[in-house]
Amino acid sequence: MNQILAIDVGGTGIKGGIVDLSTGTLVSDRIKYLTPSPALPISVAETINKVIADLDWKDDIGMGFPSIISDNICLSANNIDKSWIGTDIKNLISEHCNLNAHILNDADAAGFAEVKYGSGKDVNGKVMTITLGTGIGSGLFINGTLVPNIEIGNLRFRDSIAEHYASNAARKREDMSWETYGGILNEFLVYVHRIFSADLYIISGGISKKFEKFSGFLDSALNVKQALLKNNAGIVGAASYASQQLK
Ligand code: BGC
């Protein structure tokens, strides 16, 4: 199958589109709805169904979701409703939307896209995509193979956890200058590097469009690049993951 519909569920928005797998680009409109509040499983499933209906899609779908997902069960819920914990997400979405859904962590999905089509393409060794949005997500790949559910946003940092200080939401909430934010992000990346020693870090999420505003504040010893797929990495990567599951 050369095209697949994929959806990226975030703490703020639910985005979807049909992806051409040979190029890693969207070949349909990019549909976006606000994430329902509260983001209960049934409300999110209904919104996903709207995206699918808008694009008139009947086949398998890919989907990225902001939770640790192990054997299709959600095990965490930092930026979505706590009732997701313990939910069999594959079952819920597949039954509600009457199709087969292939689901992985949203940042793992973004990593898939960057490694296959973007800044991590043909890079050997450890490549970590870091998604800075409502939370902080991470997708770690070793020689192109995913190590799922590495949650760097939950690392202890300062008085709390990293995503409370270094996410894009934290930057906006605290109205930080780019210099202040760049400094905090650098402190966090140096800490992450001490643990993972990745060969390449790729900054993804909406903020990646503004990469040049903060990249100058990052330690030059770290190999940090801007995501190539910018806002669509989550969608494109979920499509790529789904197509892999179908083989
Ligand atoms: C979640 C991760 C997710 C990230 C980005 C974090 O709060 O724990 O699973 O990947 O946000 O959405």
Side-chain angles (χ1 to χ4, degrees):
M1 192 189 304
N2 216 29
Q3 292 187 351
I4 199 154
L5 185 149
I7 295 177
D8 181 20
V9 178
T12 317
I14 295 181
K15 299 137 267 178
I18 298 172
V19 177
D20 181 334
L21 293 162
S22 54
T23 56
T25 52
L26 258 56
V27 290
S28 71
D29 286 343
R30 183 181 193 269
I31 310 286
K32 181 171 180 182
Y33 289 102
L34 285 178
T35 304
S37 176
L40 300 171
I42 193 65
S43 330
V44 170
E46 263 157 30
T47 309
I48 288 165
N49 215 3
K50 275 203 252 172
V51 176
I52 294 168
D54 288 352
L55 294 168
D56 195 21
W57 188 260
K58 313 253 181 293
D59 261 317
D60 286 28
I61 63 164
M63 186 173 124
F65 190 79
S67 168
I68 296 172
I69 299 179
S70 182
D71 285 337
N72 296 310
I73 309 292
C74 293
L75 297 182
S76 65
N78 287 351
N79 289 307
I80 38 155
D81 196 80
K82 300 288 175 229
S83 57
W84 278 97
I85 296 176
T87 300
D88 183 329
I89 189 167
K90 181 178 173 70
N91 226 355
L92 171 78
I93 302 301
S94 299
E95 283 196 354
H96 193 86
C97 303
N98 200 25
L99 40 68
N100 196 12
H102 306 274
I103 307 176
L104 77 168
N105 172 265
D106 59 344
D108 286 348
F112 255 102
E114 289 299 327
V115 162
K116 180 131 196 241
Y117 308 101
S119 297
K121 193 172 171 203
D122 298 328
V123 179
N124 279 326
K126 284 183 255 179
V127 176
M128 183 182 274
T129 300
I130 300 180
T131 309
L132 303 170
T134 314
I136 295 181
S138 44
L140 178 65
F141 286 74
I142 302 182
N143 294 329
T145 301
L146 173 68
V147 182
N149 296 316
I150 301 283
E151 291 268 325
I152 66 166
N154 283 296
L155 286 172
R156 299 281 329 156
F157 188 74
R158 297 191 172 178
D159 291 332
S160 169
I161 58 168
E163 68 182 16
H164 292 165
Y165 293 94
S167 62
N168 196 25
R171 178 186 68 85
K172 291 185 188 160
R173 190 182 59 238
E174 303 297 328
D175 199 16
M176 290 179 211
S177 67
W178 285 108
E179 185 176 2
T180 304
Y181 181 68
I184 293 177
L185 186 60
N186 186 53
E187 184 187 334
F188 174 55
L189 291 181
V190 167
Y191 172 38
V192 167
H193 189 60
R194 243 185 271 139
I195 304 171
F196 293 98
S197 298
D199 300 287
L200 171 65
Y201 298 93
I202 302 171
I203 303 295
S204 178
I207 201 176
S208 62
K209 283 184 280 185
K210 299 181 179 148
F211 186 73
E212 70 294 340
K213 299 223 189 258
F214 58 84
S215 55
F217 303 108
L218 306 181
D219 192 328
S220 57
L222 302 174
N223 186 15
V224 186
K225 286 197 179 144
Q226 178 179 28
L228 256 193
L229 284 98
K230 313 234 164 54
N231 251 351
N232 285 338
I235 300 174
V236 171
S240 166
Y241 169 75
S243 79
Q244 223 180 59
Q245 300 300 304
L246 289 170
K247 279 182 191 150

